[in-house]
Amino acid sequence: MTNLARASFKAIRKRDGRLVSFDLGKITEAIFAAAKAVGGTKKELAKLLAEKVYFQLQSTYQPGQIFSVEDVQDVVEKVLIEEGHAATAKAYILYRAERNRARTAQLGIMDAIESSLQETDRENANVGNCFSAKLLKIAEIASKAYYLSRVLDQEVGDMHERGDIHIHDLAHYSTTLNCLQVPLGKLLAKGFNNGHGFIRSPKRPGSAGALAAIILQSSQNDMFGGQSYAFFDRDMAPYFEGVEEKECFQAMEAFIYNLNSMHSRAGAQVPFSSLNLGTDTTPAGRMVTKQVLLAFEKGLGRGENPIFPNIIFKLKHGVNFDPGDPNYDLFQLAMRVAARRLNPTFSFMDSSFNAPYGDQVGYMGCRTRVMGNLCGPEVTDGRGNLHFTTINLPRLALKTLRAGEGIESFEAQLRKVMAKVIAQLLHRTDLQGRQKVKDLPFVMGQELYLDSEKLSEEDPIAPVLRQGTISVGFIGLAETLVALVGKHHGESAEAQELGTSIVSLMREICDEAAELYGLNITLIATPAEGLSGRFTKLDQKEFGVVPGVTDREYYTNSFHVPVHYTISAYEKIRIEGPYHKFTNAGHISYVEFSAPPLNNLNAVETLLRHMSECDFGYAGINFPVDFCEGCGYTGLVQDECPSCGATQIRRVRRITGYLSTEERFNSGKAAELHDRIGHISCER
């Protein structure tokens, strides 16, 4: 020890640049910890090895030199191996790698928080940039890091971070659920308590509309996804019997105002809300549908386009889809409003996969569909998606391309990744199920979720979660096909055949897993918002710029034909139709107009009928909606308002099923928006 006392160096440089005193004891403790991990028990041996580390450092020391922490750790590994302690060396290397990973994650957290303090990201275009939004984002950053480092299997966490998969809403991994079709009729009839006292059943139309908005807000405060009413017309009808249309309109106008102004999730966003309607043929139900459509058509106080609610008009032969049907006039009104305001979108109750349920299928504006049920009644009310994870299909194709292999290799990789994703979905479901009723006081405590009335406040919610769905998603089928066969499904019949084969295989694997585990494991056409750009950036870094695959800032949404590809509306509908039946957890397709089709409603109806013939489940029409903040002019606006010359223009567009304003789009979706071209103009 006399030699140690004559050390020529006394300081070590930490990773953050600080100088600290050299401490032989820390090296001893690190070696002893690694030795204990493989069964070692001799502290003295660890001390001797630490001294050997010191002497090796001393032998290379140059006057004025300052060793770094990494220098010391490198020598520790070298000494352990040279002295025949291979197992201890391996344990030390693993410990060092884990420490580095944790340290890197911590630095990443700090960088992300610093960025969010400047401006929140655009992962969700419904989240603003206010104080509460920043706090929410900072909490999510820390929460994601926790789940990646402490909860997820390391392999799955690595798959998420490098972009093989994307675990949606990772920050809420175990604490709550995604979305819900709220049983509005049940709540209005019995009343509810949202935290500060009991709210009784409404007596007047205005009260019913106000409570319907409050229910959506309260429900969303318990969850991380969207909230929907599957039968808005039917459930509101009892409170509008014998009411004049003017009073009904006022109630529906106030309802829409509330959904565009009242905030949820600590004030960070307005409720992500959806309404399904159009099939109630009673006088009161018809009036509710008519007046909510008229109120949406009128717009907000200065005529602005409402962002919420998403309105989904259910189309069904014999009810509203054909001349002579009792609600055919409401279908005509729905098309008129959609041609001006982008909403409603349209769901098809007579498609091959929806028809068995009559008019009972409800969608959400983001495209989620919940219907089939292995664990209970096949109903929509009181059920929702628990969570979903998306597979990066283009990355699998690029790996296949790089290896010089064929479709069989791609499918083998896909099966392996799906097995990993399904295992992760089951893990997340298990953790969610450990939450208690009191942890979701409104959704579970007020009996919104199917069968939750059977639970008490301290009970775990696992028994009722079986009623929900867990889903595998996918993105970039078009780019995948380009990588595999050189063309996407809009360009080639061969590519279309392969595309349906790939998505059919994914559905088959989901169905097999559902039977095996007795859970509703489903396939969703992912509503990729922030994800579309994230995957592409990661793949550009890994594979470079591959023409037709990674040469844009985004991947094409789910099974869609690329937005920049010139194709007729009819052909696009024909190509995308077959994919709807495979994606039982949700789907949507669009037709793009270059301008609002207010004077071309016949074309809108013709396209909707073609969608029905092509077995669509859910669809919308897109076009630009511009609003002048100066004078209220509505129409297509370039740089300045043609009426008053103002340049403050509010540009509303559809993003991934719901509406938002252009400035809230993230870079990937902004690039996609820029690339969109009209379909109706190149119709056959």
Side-chain angles (χ1 to χ4, degrees):
M1 294 300 292
T2 55
N3 287 334
L4 291 179
R6 294 194 297 269
S8 300
F9 65 92
K10 297 181 179 180
I12 296 293
R13 189 178 301 280
K14 301 282 283 185
R15 290 176 179 84
D16 60 7
R18 290 180 296 122
L19 293 180
V20 298
S21 298
F22 175 77
D23 187 347
L24 191 68
K26 289 184 177 179
I27 300 176
T28 301
E29 291 300 326
I31 293 174
F32 186 52
K36 285 197 296 184
V38 293
T41 59
K42 297 180 179 179
K43 185 73 169 281
E44 283 301 315
L45 178 58
K47 187 175 180 181
L48 288 172
L49 291 169
E51 290 179 1
K52 289 182 181 292
V53 170
Y54 166 76
F55 286 121
Q56 285 213 16
L57 288 167
Q58 178 69 21
S59 69
T60 63
Y61 175 71
Q62 299 295 324
Q65 181 180 4
I66 299 177
F67 291 114
S68 68
V69 171
E70 287 82 2
D71 293 332
V72 176
Q73 291 179 336
D74 289 344
V75 175
V76 171
E77 292 178 14
K78 183 172 181 289
V79 167
L80 289 173
I81 293 170
E82 288 176 349
E83 296 295 320
H85 301 283
T88 302
K90 182 178 180 181
Y92 182 81
I93 291 168
L94 290 174
Y95 165 78
R96 182 181 179 185
E98 181 60 30
R99 290 281 296 168
N100 281 338
R101 183 183 180 202
R103 192 177 297 108
T104 301
Q106 187 177 27
L107 290 173
I109 291 172
M110 295 302 107
D111 289 343
I113 289 175
E114 184 176 0
S115 175
S116 290
L117 288 173
Q118 301 302 316
E119 183 170 4
T120 55
D121 65 20
R122 289 288 174 253
E123 186 174 340
N124 184 340
N126 186 30
V127 176
N129 195 46
C130 62
F131 160 74
S132 56
K134 287 183 171 68
L135 287 182
L136 178 63
K137 187 60 187 177
I138 290 169
E140 288 183 343
I141 290 166
S143 184
K144 285 179 182 178
Y146 165 74
Y147 286 117
L148 285 169
S149 63
R150 298 288 186 88
V151 177
L152 285 173
D153 174 82
Q154 184 172 334
E155 183 180 3
V156 172
D158 290 344
M159 290 174 71
H160 172 86
E161 291 198 285
R162 68 174 174 254
D164 296 332
I165 64 174
H166 183 83
I167 302 170
H168 291 267
D169 299 286
L170 176 58
H172 313 282
Y173 193 83
S174 66
T175 52
T176 187
L177 319 175
N178 181 10
C179 58
L180 180 64
Q181 291 281 1
V182 178
L184 175 62
K186 171 184 173 181
L187 287 170
L188 290 179
K190 73 181 185 67
F192 58 90
N193 186 330
N194 68 343
H196 297 285
F198 186 77
I199 299 176
R200 65 177 180 269
S201 179
K203 303 298 183 185
R204 299 297 302 165
S207 299
L211 293 187
I214 290 170
I215 289 168
L216 288 171
Q217 181 191 41
S218 300
S219 181
Q220 183 151 320
N221 278 327
D222 269 8
M223 306 177 79
F224 63 75
Q227 311 301 305
S228 178
Y229 291 139
F231 309 98
F232 185 72
D233 47 358
R234 182 200 71 186
D235 291 348
M236 293 292 281
Y239 307 96
F240 289 83
E241 291 177 356
V243 172
E244 292 185 1
E245 291 200 353
K246 181 178 180 181
E247 186 176 2
C248 181
F249 176 84
Q250 290 174 337
M252 292 300 96
E253 183 178 50
F255 173 69
I256 290 171
Y257 278 17
N258 279 333
L259 291 181
N260 286 273
S261 57
M262 65 194 316
H263 283 71
S264 63
R265 297 197 185 113
Q269 63 187 105
V270 295
F272 189 108
S273 52
S274 300
L275 317 175
N276 293 260
L277 44 70
T279 56
D280 189 333
T281 58
T282 67
R286 280 174 44 80
M287 181 167 61
V288 168
T289 296
K290 178 182 178 181
Q291 297 306 324
V292 76
L293 288 172
L294 290 175
F296 201 93
E297 182 180 43
K298 182 180 179 182
L300 301 180
R302 299 173 60 202
E304 301 97 324
N305 206 101
I307 300 300
F308 289 106
N310 298 296
I311 302 176
I312 299 114
F313 191 90
K314 299 180 178 181
L315 291 172
K316 185 167 181 60
H317 292 291
V319 177
N320 56 31
F321 206 8
D322 301 308
D325 287 349
N327 283 2
Y328 182 69
D329 60 329
L330 296 179
F331 170 42
Q332 298 297 304
L333 174 60
M335 287 191 292
R336 188 184 85 193
V337 177
R340 177 178 176 83
R341 296 295 191 184
L342 293 165
N343 266 324
T345 47
F346 297 88
S347 61
F348 299 84
M349 297 296 101
D350 296 310
S351 62
S352 62
F353 44 89
N354 285 337
Y357 307 107
D359 68 346
Q360 296 300 295
V361 179
Y363 284 84
M364 294 190 187
C366 61
R367 78 196 57 195
T368 305
R369 172 187 182 271
V370 178
M371 194 65 221
N373 192 0
L374 295 176
C375 307
E378 292 186 311
V379 297
T380 298
D381 262 354
R383 301 176 62 216
N385 179 257
L386 306 182
H387 51 86
F388 67 103
T389 295
T390 291
I391 293 174
N392 184 347
L393 287 183
R395 171 166 283 219
L396 293 180
L398 288 167
K399 287 182 178 180
T400 302
L401 183 66
R402 185 167 62 184
E405 297 173 340
I407 303 301
E408 296 80 7
S409 174
F410 171 84
E411 292 185 351
Q413 290 184 74
L414 178 58
R415 287 183 180 275
K416 288 180 181 179
V417 174
M418 286 200 67
K420 286 288 184 185
V421 167
I422 289 169
Q424 177 266 309
L425 294 174
L426 295 172
H427 172 250
R428 187 173 188 176
T429 303
D430 176 63
L431 294 183
Q432 287 177 327
R434 299 179 193 180
Q435 297 295 309
K436 297 180 179 180
V437 169
K438 66 181 182 181
D439 296 319
L440 284 78
F442 191 71
V443 168
M444 296 295 173
Q446 295 302 299
E447 303 174 0
L448 276 66
Y449 219 91
L450 187 64
D451 283 349
S452 58
E453 68 275 6
K454 300 175 182 178
L455 304 177
S456 63
E457 189 179 48
E458 293 293 331
D459 286 339
I461 62 176
V464 304
L465 293 193
R466 298 178 63 83
Q467 306 289 354
T469 63
I470 58 179
S471 305
V472 179
F474 64 95
I475 188 175
L477 180 67
E479 289 80 8
T480 301
L481 296 172
V482 172
L484 293 174
V485 296
K487 294 183 178 180
H488 60 69
H489 48 325
E491 300 173 297
S492 158
E494 177 195 6
Q496 170 73 339
E497 183 178 356
L498 177 59
T500 54
S501 173
I502 290 170
V503 179
S504 173
L505 173 63
M506 295 183 76
R507 170 63 184 276
E508 179 184 318
I509 294 171
C510 287
D511 288 349
E512 290 172 354
E515 291 294 333
L516 176 64
Y517 296 107
L519 294 172
N520 298 308
I521 300 173
T522 53
L523 182 66
I524 188 169
T526 292
E529 190 173 334
L531 174 59
S532 64
R534 174 179 180 258
F535 271 172
T536 310
K537 288 177 183 176
L538 291 169
D539 287 351
Q540 286 170 346
K541 185 176 180 180
E542 174 75 16
F543 301 97
V545 176
V546 181
V549 184
T550 62
D551 55 351
R552 295 178 185 269
E553 293 185 50
Y554 58 91
Y555 281 147
T556 299
N557 210 321
S558 61
F559 54 72
H560 293 176
V561 173
V563 298
H564 53 80
Y565 180 66
T566 301
I567 188 172
S568 76
Y570 276 78
E571 191 67 6
K572 183 178 190 290
I573 292 167
R574 183 190 66 79
I575 290 169
E576 294 183 6
Y579 297 95
H580 283 233
K581 64 177 176 289
F582 297 130
T583 47
N584 57 334
H587 40 249
I588 194 169
S589 288
Y590 306 111
V591 169
E592 199 80 26
F593 288 78
S594 56
L598 280 167
N599 298 317
N600 202 5
L601 295 186
N602 286 337
V604 174
E605 183 168 356
T606 301
L607 290 173
L608 289 171
R609 295 192 181 282
H610 184 51
M611 291 172 180
S612 177
E613 292 167 1
C614 292
D615 210 24
F616 267 38
Y618 184 37
I621 57 172
N622 290 346
F623 49 85
V625 175
D626 299 333
F627 176 83
C628 174
E629 299 280 7
C631 68
Y633 173 86
T634 301
L636 291 179
V637 180
Q638 298 301 322
D639 297 326
E640 62 180 41
C641 175
S643 176
C644 72
T647 56
Q648 286 72 43
I649 308 300
R650 189 172 190 258
R651 303 182 189 277
V652 175
R653 306 290 186 267
R654 195 182 311 279
I655 184 163
T656 55
Y658 69 101
L659 306 184
S660 187
T661 50
E662 230 180 75
E663 75 275 3
R664 290 193 171 198
F665 281 33
N666 61 59
S667 59
K669 296 309 288 186
E672 184 224 82
L673 177 63
H674 177 269
D675 289 349
R676 292 179 189 176
I677 61 173
H679 298 127
I680 195 71
S681 60
C682 49
E683 178 185 328
R684 290 180 302 185

